[in-house]
Amino acid sequence: MQFLVTGYDGKDEKAIERRLAYRDEHLALAASMAKENKFLCAAALVDEKDQMIGSVLMVDFPSRKELDNWLAIEPYIKGNVWESVDVKPCKVSPIFMK
């Protein structure tokens, strides 16, 4: 089952520092998930000043429970980077799949 995950960073003055502190760990987890075909694509959300303010991810898990298990270990959640997370089921068009 595919999901669109949108994580919105905190708005406090330390938000970008937290994001950068956990970024390598977040990207390493994403890379390992991509090898398992669980991480389909992602992008950073940016504001009008091109500052990162969140993330959009398309992921593929057998169930919502397994997605929630990933969220429980996601560095941006554990590190309080994402202030809120929105999850919606989706279907990625076959033309974008490997």
Side-chain angles (χ1 to χ4, degrees):
M1 184 172 215
Q2 297 168 340
F3 299 91
L4 174 66
V5 179
T6 308
Y8 299 96
D9 294 3
K11 296 180 183 348
D12 60 282
E13 68 276 352
K14 301 266 186 190
I16 192 68
E17 290 177 33
R18 285 193 306 278
R19 173 176 272 271
L20 296 176
Y22 287 93
R23 191 165 195 263
D24 288 343
E25 190 178 342
H26 166 77
L27 293 175
L29 180 58
S32 70
M33 289 173 52
K35 288 178 185 173
E36 299 172 10
N37 296 317
K38 291 179 181 175
F39 207 98
L40 305 177
C41 67
L45 295 173
V46 297
D47 64 14
E48 60 281 343
K49 296 177 185 171
D50 206 33
Q51 295 296 309
M52 292 181 283
I53 58 167
S55 307
V56 176
L57 307 93
M58 289 193 158
V59 296
D60 193 349
F61 286 94
S63 68
R64 173 62 195 248
K65 182 177 191 247
E66 290 188 54
L67 174 126
D68 289 338
N69 290 340
W70 158 65
L71 288 174
I73 64 165
E74 165 54 53
Y76 280 177
I77 290 179
K78 289 174 55 179
N80 296 315
V81 175
W82 290 339
E83 183 175 86
S84 65
V85 177
D86 182 54
V87 176
K88 300 247 189 297
C90 69
K91 292 190 179 189
V92 177
S93 172
I95 64 171
F96 296 109
M97 300 300 294
K98 294 179 186 177

